[in-house]
Amino acid sequence: MNCIEKIQEIGPLKIIQLFFPIANFHAIVVIDNIALGPSIGGVRVSMDVTVEEVKRLARIMTLKNSIAGLPHGGGKAGILADPLSPKKEHYFRLFARAIKDLKDYIPGPDMGSNEECMALIYDEIGRAVALPEELGGIPLDKLGATGYGLAECAEIACPYVDIDLKGAKVAIQGFGSVGKAAARFLSEKGAIVIAVSDKKGCIYNFEGIDVKEIIDIKEKTGSVINYKKGTINDPSVLFSLPCDILIPAATADVINRENVNDIKAKLILQGANIPITTDAEEILHKKRILSIPDFIANAGGVIMAAMEYAKKTEKEAFDAISEKIKKNTDAIIKMALGEDIIPRKAAEIISKERVLKAMRYQGGI
Ligand code: NAD
């Protein structure tokens, strides 16, 4: 039996839809697997989040938590609302009360939610991660946990595709918590950020973008396109720019059959969750473009959240991110090269193995 045939289904365990028609409230919770411990996963707030999307994201969390060696399973939630709604606090309090008895799910932040939202949930039910510092949390977005992990991942992956990280040219799609921190930590390692984008547009300068300045501009004006020392274009142009490392750090399925052949980078670090469609990942593999999957490359945030839950310090959290992401990046690249499979498949095999073993101990399969 080859290792791909060894993969078996591991979830989802529970799919729950929460409706409060009077309050016009609708939320979704998926607990994918809890064999390794209570599930941790973010709460996405979006007008169009679907059960299917939450299911896919919950599975990514199972794989991410397992391969990082965390004592947690995978889950995810979605609240169908405008992230800028003035009723956001009300929605989070309703959501918290509705999941009070769902003790196998520990909520964290995701797109459209942040540490303040986690504080609201914590206030209602005493269970959430990525809390504000005042409540004993380690503020993972402020510290840039996920971006830090991406830079650690780059350090290991670069030599496999003959890139010298010092001087490597980097393009980043999405300039939120993940994109900004990735730019900051990669430039500290000597990489040159040549392009960044947000919803409003993409800006590039092949001589390099001043990372500190563009972060400041994004925070003050709301968009990277207000940075004056570069060329402005449509957001989608970013994927076709010449660079060494490409980091999708915005939404799902942004690299797909339509644009995958435009990519010039030798290395892709998946900052967002599921940013590349399955068929595009196969094409990248055939073209020998190394693509490190989301649940390896962007695990920094959940590792820090789990460290906070275990009452560890900020330093212990950063050390854990570095150690786990470097080890896993190396392991999956070696396996992918050795068996000529895509890195995502290699990562799934390693990750599922731990979940399946734990399920066996619990009589789960
Ligand atoms: P964020 O909301 O802080 O930032 C998202 C950024 O993406 C914004 O700058 C937005 O303008 C930009 N964007 C949206 N659509 C775009 C488009 N079509 N083209 C270009 N830019 C676009 O979100 P975040 O916390 O940085 O998360 C980004 C992604 O990373 C999400 O997929 C999230 O699930 C994933 N992720 C986040 C963390 C974390 O620690 N925050 C951890 C793991 C994974």
Side-chain angles (χ1 to χ4, degrees):
M1 187 196 284
N2 75 28
C3 40
I4 294 174
E5 285 162 350
K6 269 201 262 165
I7 291 182
Q8 296 164 46
E9 267 315 304
I10 53 175
L13 187 65
K14 290 180 192 168
I15 302 172
I16 298 152
Q17 297 216 51
L18 306 161
F19 292 102
F20 295 108
I22 293 169
N24 196 20
F25 176 88
H26 180 190
I28 301 155
V29 181
V30 176
I31 299 178
D32 184 56
N33 189 291
I34 54 163
L36 297 170
S39 66
I40 290 192
V43 184
R44 180 160 294 194
V45 183
S46 147
M47 297 293 282
D48 47 24
V49 61
T50 62
V51 173
E52 197 48 42
E53 184 183 358
V54 180
K55 250 170 74 180
R56 285 169 79 198
L57 293 166
R59 170 58 51 86
I60 295 295
M61 293 312 297
T62 299
L63 299 175
K64 199 184 288 191
N65 295 342
S66 167
I67 203 162
L70 303 175
H72 291 288
K76 199 87 184 181
I79 298 178
L80 282 90
D82 177 356
L84 302 174
S85 164
K87 287 188 176 165
K88 201 163 167 182
E89 171 164 355
H90 178 59
Y91 287 145
F92 267 90
R93 289 194 182 276
L94 275 180
F95 175 73
R97 282 174 226 153
I99 63 161
K100 184 171 185 221
D101 294 327
L102 213 55
K103 297 217 164 65
D104 287 333
Y105 173 58
I106 304 165
D110 191 63
M111 277 168 73
S113 66
N114 57 19
E115 60 187 38
E116 280 157 32
C117 304
M118 294 309 111
L120 296 172
I121 298 178
Y122 192 76
D123 181 49
E124 292 286 337
I125 61 170
R127 190 177 78 243
V129 286
L131 296 168
E133 279 165 298
E134 296 76 11
L135 298 179
I138 312 176
L140 64 92
D141 275 340
K142 194 168 119 195
L143 294 168
T146 302
Y148 172 74
L150 286 163
E152 295 298 283
C153 177
E155 210 173 286
I156 298 301
C158 277
Y160 282 100
V161 275
D162 292 327
I163 298 173
D164 186 352
L165 186 51
K166 214 167 167 33
K169 298 201 163 164
V170 182
I172 303 173
Q173 185 227 14
F175 214 54
S177 308
V178 177
K180 284 186 288 188
R184 187 157 58 83
F185 287 110
L186 281 164
S187 64
E188 278 174 17
K189 287 185 190 288
I192 301 164
V193 176
I194 56 109
V196 297
S197 68
D198 60 25
K199 263 188 191 165
K200 294 205 175 140
C202 127
I203 183 136
Y204 55 92
N205 179 339
F206 297 119
E207 299 303 310
I209 287 172
D210 183 324
V211 169
K212 205 167 168 300
E213 192 178 333
I214 200 160
I215 290 176
D216 200 44
I217 286 169
K218 170 77 180 168
E219 281 168 6
K220 286 196 177 124
T221 71
S223 177
V224 296
I225 60 170
N226 297 315
Y227 180 83
K228 298 289 172 226
K229 293 174 275 181
T231 308
I232 297 169
N233 217 317
D234 291 336
S236 59
V237 168
L238 181 119
F239 294 117
S240 59
L241 296 174
C243 63
D244 300 302
I245 304 173
L246 175 63
I247 303 183
T251 52
D253 299 332
V254 292
I255 298 174
N256 48 51
R257 193 167 270 284
E258 269 70 63
N259 63 4
V260 65
N261 287 311
D262 299 336
I263 288 172
K264 315 225 170 24
K266 289 195 271 184
L267 172 65
I268 302 178
L269 306 175
Q270 300 182 19
N273 289 318
I274 24 178
I276 309 182
T277 58
T278 311
D279 51 353
E281 264 188 319
E282 293 285 356
I283 296 170
L284 291 170
H285 180 63
K286 286 198 185 103
K287 295 177 80 172
R288 298 287 156 208
I289 296 173
L290 179 59
S291 175
I292 308 296
D294 42 17
F295 63 91
I296 302 293
N298 76 20
V302 79
I303 296 172
M304 187 167 272
M307 292 292 134
E308 174 193 298
Y309 193 72
K311 308 275 182 240
K312 304 283 183 192
T313 64
E314 184 180 312
K315 169 154 191 334
E316 286 170 316
F318 273 113
D319 289 348
I321 294 171
S322 175
E323 188 260 314
K324 288 171 187 295
I325 290 187
K326 281 181 162 169
K327 185 173 115 250
N328 287 336
T329 303
D330 202 51
I332 65 144
I333 296 175
K334 285 206 168 87
M335 185 172 181
L337 292 174
E339 303 203 14
D340 196 21
I341 53 176
I342 64 169
R344 176 175 292 275
K345 194 58 83 188
E348 273 179 17
I349 290 165
I350 298 171
S351 173
K352 279 191 176 172
E353 195 118 352
R354 183 170 175 239
V355 176
L356 288 168
K357 268 191 192 149
M359 286 171 78
R360 244 172 264 138
Y361 289 128
Q362 295 167 350
I365 54 171

